[in-house]
Amino acid sequence: MDILSPAISIVGRHNSGKTTLIEKLIAELVLRGLDVGSVKHHGHVGFDIDIPGKDSYRHRAAGASETVIAAPGKIARVKTTDGETECLDIVRSMPNHDIVIVEGYRKSALPTIEVMRADNPADERVAEAFAECVRKGLPLSADFVQMARNAKLGITHFQAPLSSDTALHDTAQYDPSEDFATKMPTAATVAVVTDIEQARTAAESCGIPVFDLSDITELADFVQASFVRPKLSIVIQAGGESRRMGQSKATVPFLGRPLICRLVERLSPLADELIITTNEPENLHFLANDFPELNIHLVRDVFDTRGALLGLYTALHAATNPLVGVVACDMACASARLICAEALDLIQSGADAAVPRNQYGYEPFHSVYRRDTCLASVAELIDYGHTRASDLFGVINVNEFTMDRVREAEPEGWCFVNANTPDELHLLEKVLLKA
């Protein structure tokens, strides 16, 4: 299953030095063992890749709407599009990277790193305007484009759209123009890279991290900590024998194979560590032969008695990575894309858990947890006699994933469908075979 890559955009103006910065940042992240994709945006029409005389050019000249150029170790794709392709669509077409770094696409809606270099007149004009806006108390969410238009029309009083008390009155001192009003830092700006002092001061006043153009290691640290796909343990809870199934749900036949095999295949692309918790590990040793490349860890349940919170304790205790995705083995349509979205949500929000919530309540066994915080809370709840996983969500910081957010991460749906009886399992098989 392809996993959507997290992405950031690095923007600036002509001669800001962003390409050089991106080259150094990519090299540093790759040295750290990360898989980095990249996107280069050209503001002008066309670019030099499809060169006359080459086979790819001849294919395109003959009328091919899309041409893939493939050679050992390298592939490129040239495609005719209607208008300009949205940045997020491009990123979605580049799955399975730890991070995608986009050069340009200022309106991409991605988290954005702003580059401003001294001695570049365009950067210096923006830095001056940025600093003046901060002094005037204007938020980064202000509509600077509209302000520029108002100034040109001679309107001397205009206001930030999200604030009732931050008007900019003195247009004689501050005359924004279209040239830089559309290239100001915005609410999407997560860091500023600059050697211009007033830009540094303005960013710090806004609480935005600031880096010098030479701070490649520090910038890479920031990107890795905040935006790179995190190291993730995936725990599939297999449990033991199901009374209604007459055997373990993990080993019940599903689409011609044990059900647990489907879960392993769906979730392993995301797992830096794959763990299966069970009270009958001896019945799952076949997984080592079926998936020799995955190094699956079979872990016996810590508690002999059943209970959702007890199972969650085993999952968190067995994991070694800071973030832990926990999935029940009877969720035949469990989604690695959704687990990835939950994990990214945790590193960006600082919450303790990202948990889907539907009309029936929380889905604790298709969720991602911050290991250390949640393990301590689970242990304390168990000591007080609690057994329900839902009890945990009253004592930790939970980010709820609404059904809209779930569908955004996994458009195919079906994530939480489980089968508790042979008849339900058979019905689910029939539905999936028809899909």
Side-chain angles (χ1 to χ4, degrees):
M1 178 183 291
D2 288 337
I3 311 301
L4 181 65
S5 304
I8 60 169
S9 176
I10 297 180
V11 300
R13 286 135 297 277
H14 183 60
N15 288 331
S16 290
K18 58 184 181 296
T19 301
T20 300
L21 179 77
I22 287 170
E23 288 174 344
K24 293 177 179 179
L25 178 60
I26 290 173
E28 176 66 26
L29 292 172
V30 169
L31 280 175
R32 300 179 183 200
L34 299 173
D35 182 326
V36 181
S38 68
V39 175
K40 166 68 177 179
H41 180 232
H42 290 278
H44 54 79
V45 176
F47 50 89
D48 294 331
I49 185 172
D50 220 6
I51 300 174
K54 298 295 184 181
D55 290 343
S56 60
Y57 178 88
R58 294 167 65 183
H59 292 191
R60 304 265 294 149
S65 64
E66 183 173 22
T67 298
V68 173
I69 306 105
K74 185 178 293 187
I75 188 170
R77 185 181 304 271
V78 184
K79 182 177 180 179
T80 299
T81 60
D82 183 12
E84 184 167 3
T85 305
E86 292 290 335
C87 181
L88 293 181
D89 290 336
I90 296 173
V91 172
R92 290 187 185 101
S93 74
M94 301 172 64
N96 304 324
H97 297 289
D98 292 317
I99 184 74
V100 171
I101 296 177
V102 178
E103 180 177 351
Y105 274 111
R106 181 173 291 277
K107 297 180 181 180
S108 65
L110 294 172
T112 298
I113 297 173
E114 184 80 42
V115 183
M116 300 183 198
R117 184 177 61 83
D119 300 324
N120 179 19
D123 284 349
E124 291 180 340
R125 288 198 302 271
V126 169
E128 182 178 358
F130 178 33
E132 182 67 12
C133 287
V134 170
R135 285 193 292 270
K136 299 289 187 181
L138 288 167
L140 293 179
S141 56
D143 188 347
F144 295 111
V145 175
Q146 190 60 47
M147 290 179 179
R149 291 170 181 162
N150 289 343
K152 286 184 175 181
L153 292 172
I155 300 173
T156 58
H157 297 275
F158 45 87
Q159 192 149 319
L162 299 184
S163 174
S164 61
D165 59 357
T166 54
L168 185 63
H169 301 293
D170 192 353
T171 55
Q173 295 182 22
Y174 173 61
D175 183 18
S177 71
E178 289 283 358
D179 177 54
F180 59 77
T182 58
K183 296 181 179 180
M184 291 280 285
T186 69
T189 302
V190 296
V192 171
V193 180
T194 187
D195 56 355
I196 302 175
E197 187 57 36
Q198 62 180 345
R200 170 181 291 275
T201 301
E204 290 173 344
S205 297
C206 295
I208 299 173
V210 185
F211 302 90
D212 192 83
L213 290 164
S214 61
D215 292 341
I216 302 301
T217 299
E218 293 80 359
L219 181 61
D221 289 342
F222 170 75
V223 170
Q224 185 169 6
S226 303
F227 302 102
V228 167
R229 180 179 295 140
K231 293 294 183 183
L232 185 66
S233 296
I234 297 290
V235 181
I236 302 173
Q237 293 199 309
E241 182 176 344
S242 166
R243 297 186 187 92
R244 285 183 285 184
M245 287 291 188
Q247 66 184 93
S248 167
K249 287 185 180 180
T251 57
V252 67
F254 186 78
L255 298 176
R257 303 181 69 191
L259 178 57
I260 190 69
C261 293
R262 178 176 171 86
L263 271 293
V264 168
E265 289 169 346
R266 290 181 69 82
L267 298 176
S268 59
L270 186 60
D272 296 288
E273 174 184 56
L274 184 58
I275 299 168
I276 298 176
T277 60
T278 174
N279 57 27
E280 48 179 27
E282 62 279 359
N283 292 335
L284 298 179
H285 286 312
F286 68 88
L287 291 171
N289 294 323
D290 286 8
F291 302 98
E293 73 284 2
L294 295 182
N295 190 28
I296 297 172
H297 301 288
L298 296 178
V299 175
R300 185 178 290 276
D301 289 326
V302 173
F303 300 94
D304 294 330
T305 55
R306 296 190 178 191
L309 200 63
L310 306 180
L312 192 55
Y313 177 89
T314 297
L316 296 172
H317 187 267
T320 62
N321 286 308
L323 300 186
V324 186
V326 182
V327 179
C329 78
D330 61 358
M331 287 186 171
C333 298
S335 168
R337 296 188 187 101
L338 177 55
I339 292 290
C340 180
E342 293 167 354
L344 291 171
D345 178 84
L346 282 196
I347 66 169
Q348 292 171 16
S349 70
D352 299 320
V355 185
R357 184 164 191 165
N358 57 27
Q359 66 268 35
Y360 305 110
Y362 287 114
E363 289 285 356
F365 297 110
H366 200 305
S367 303
V368 176
Y369 300 87
R370 200 173 293 278
R371 180 188 182 275
D372 292 346
T373 304
C374 292
L375 180 59
S377 297
V378 168
E380 185 174 0
L381 287 169
I382 291 173
D383 286 343
Y384 280 100
H386 294 266
T387 59
R388 299 183 306 172
S390 58
D391 294 338
L392 174 64
F393 304 137
V395 299
I396 63 172
N397 179 13
V398 177
N399 259 17
E400 294 184 3
F401 260 60
T402 64
M403 286 302 97
D404 285 343
R405 295 185 71 186
V406 170
R407 284 187 286 269
E408 181 181 349
E410 180 49 271
E412 293 179 6
W414 296 81
C415 305
F416 313 128
V417 174
N418 55 15
N420 293 305
T421 68
D423 287 344
E424 290 177 354
L425 197 67
H426 181 60
L427 178 60
L428 183 57
E429 282 184 305
K430 291 174 64 176
V431 170
L432 291 176
L433 285 172
K434 290 180 180 180

